[in-house]
Amino acid sequence: MIIPKSVEELATYVESSEKVVFFFTADWCPDCQFIYPAMPEIEAQFPEMTFVRVDRDEHIELAQTWNIFGIPSFVVTQDGKELGRFVNKLRKSKEEIIRFLEELA
């Protein structure tokens, strides 16, 4: 999982020709802590996708622009266009995330 160091670095992933999964999270979020252990397995299941972890608190303006008001949340982009989003304030299971990504693979 890539953890960008700046907004500029984050922007390069938005414009990528690959499918990029933006994983909006925060370390204080219990629902995020719940899904962290499953993320390596989810990433391994979708090697054609690049996974980018976005700390919602560090990138609050981006989260607001993308209407990320609940975490954990996932937004998939390619070539600067949004392909799909799994955004709500509910806890997400590994199976739900996999189903969401399968629809976009």
Side-chain angles (χ1 to χ4, degrees):
M1 175 124 6
I2 297 165
I3 302 174
K5 307 252 185 286
S6 67
V7 173
E8 293 77 20
E9 184 183 353
L10 238 170
T12 64
Y13 294 107
V14 174
E15 298 301 322
S16 174
S17 60
E18 296 179 19
K19 289 181 183 172
V20 179
V21 179
F22 291 93
F23 171 37
F24 285 85
T25 184
D27 285 340
W28 54 263
C29 165
D31 292 339
C32 301
Q33 297 292 330
F34 172 79
I35 202 61
Y36 286 161
M39 289 308 296
E41 186 179 335
I42 293 169
E43 284 184 79
Q45 196 166 337
F46 298 92
E48 72 282 5
M49 296 180 175
T50 301
F51 286 75
V52 178
R53 181 173 165 175
V54 182
D55 186 302
R56 201 267 333 245
D57 294 340
E58 287 181 25
H59 300 286
I60 192 73
E61 291 176 4
L62 176 63
Q64 289 171 341
T65 300
W66 284 14
N67 294 315
I68 308 295
F69 296 113
I71 53 175
S73 286
F74 298 84
V75 176
V76 180
T77 66
Q78 185 175 29
D79 295 320
K81 295 182 173 74
E82 184 177 308
L83 301 180
R85 60 176 37 230
F86 187 17
V87 176
N88 59 44
K89 61 183 178 181
L90 304 176
R91 176 177 281 187
K92 288 142 186 83
S93 69
K94 179 176 95 173
E95 293 75 23
E96 289 173 318
I97 296 165
I98 289 170
R99 273 196 306 272
F100 163 70
L101 295 173
E102 283 175 340
E103 291 174 9
L104 301 172

